[in-house]
Amino acid sequence: MPAKSCARCYVILPFTAYPKDRTRQDGHFPQCRTCHAAREAVRRTDPAVKARAAGNGRRYRALKYGAEYDGHQPEDVWLHWEDEGFYCCVVCGGPFEHIDHNVPLIRGGGHTLDNLVPLCADHNLAKSGRCPYRVIAELFPRLAPYLAPYFDVHERLTEEEITQRVNDYYETT
C-alpha cells in the first residue's frame, strides 16, 4: 500500500489518510487529514482569510497591506460612481473594464469608495502601481507641466516602506 510522511506530524500513513489535491504530483495534500483540518480551523478564524473566502481578492489584499477599508460592497461602488458621474474610463473616456485604486494599495491608498476609479484595460495595465498623475503626464506630455505639482500627492509611503510592504506580502503568501 503506498504511503508517505505527514509534513506536519511526521507520521507515515497510507495515501487514504491524506486529502486529495489534484495540483500535487502525488495527488494528495502534504498534511494528513487531522493536521490539515487543524490548520484550516485556525486559518478560518483569521479575518483576512474570511475576506478572501468571501470571493473578494481586493479586500483580502487591502487587509494584507494594512490599507484602510470602509466595508463597502460591490453594489456600493456602482452607486458611488453614479453619484460622481463615472460612466467610462477616467483617463481616455472609453468603456471601462477594470476597477482600479487611484492611489495604489502598495503606495498607502485605501480600499475605499473614494479611491476606486473605472479604467480601461490598457490604462489600468499601464498605470500598474504608479501615481496616476505621472501616468497621465506620460500619456499626454503637454499636460505634464500642469500635473507636476500633484506628482507627490499620492506618494504617501517612502520607497523603503513600499519595499518592506512588498517583502512582507511575499513572505506571508
Side-chain angles (χ1 to χ4, degrees), residues 68-105:
E68 178 187 353
Y69 173 60
D70 62 4
H72 66 271
Q73 297 299 316
E75 56 271 8
D76 297 333
V77 175
W78 301 111
L79 293 171
H80 178 72
W81 284 356
E82 193 171 304
D83 293 342
E84 297 290 325
F86 292 154
Y87 300 104
C88 55
C89 174
V90 294
V91 176
C92 67
F96 75 91
E97 300 159 320
H98 295 185
I99 296 173
D100 189 45
H101 294 95
N102 191 26
V103 181
L105 294 176

Side-chain angles (χ1 to χ4, degrees), residues 134-160:
R134 289 185 189 272
V135 175
I136 293 171
E138 289 173 11
L139 293 171
F140 307 102
R142 291 187 180 183
L143 293 177
Y146 303 105
L147 296 174
Y150 303 106
F151 283 171
D152 297 328
V153 172
H154 291 77
E155 305 297 325
R156 297 182 183 171
L157 301 175
T158 64
E159 289 299 321
E160 293 82 26

Side-chain angles (χ1 to χ4, degrees), residues 18-22 27-29 33:
Y18 295 88
K20 292 191 183 248
D21 182 6
R22 293 181 191 156
H28 298 279
F29 274 97
R33 289 184 193 279

Side-chain angles (χ1 to χ4, degrees), residues 12-131:
I12 298 174
L13 298 168
F15 276 145
T16 57
Y18 295 88
K20 292 191 183 248
D21 182 6
R22 293 181 191 156
T23 62
R24 308 275 177 177
Q25 189 172 4
D26 64 0
H28 298 279
F29 274 97
Q31 297 95 13
C32 64
R33 289 184 193 279
T34 307
C35 294
H36 182 73
R39 180 175 152 255
E40 288 300 310
V42 170
R43 284 187 63 236
R44 285 190 193 107
T45 61
D46 184 10
V49 173
K50 286 183 180 180
R52 189 176 191 184
N56 193 335
R58 292 204 183 273
R59 222 180 336 171
Y60 169 74
R61 199 166 46 126
L63 288 170
K64 190 88 154 173
Y65 283 130
E68 178 187 353
Y69 173 60
D70 62 4
H72 66 271
Q73 297 299 316
E75 56 271 8
D76 297 333
V77 175
W78 301 111
L79 293 171
H80 178 72
W81 284 356
E82 193 171 304
D83 293 342
E84 297 290 325
F86 292 154
Y87 300 104
C88 55
C89 174
V90 294
V91 176
C92 67
F96 75 91
E97 300 159 320
H98 295 185
I99 296 173
D100 189 45
H101 294 95
N102 191 26
V103 181
L105 294 176
I106 193 71
R107 298 245 179 235
H111 187 61
T112 61
L113 289 175
D114 293 332
N115 195 34
L116 296 173
V117 293
L119 287 177
C120 64
D122 292 338
H123 290 125
N124 186 27
L125 297 174
K127 180 181 168 288
S128 188
R130 298 184 296 156
C131 171

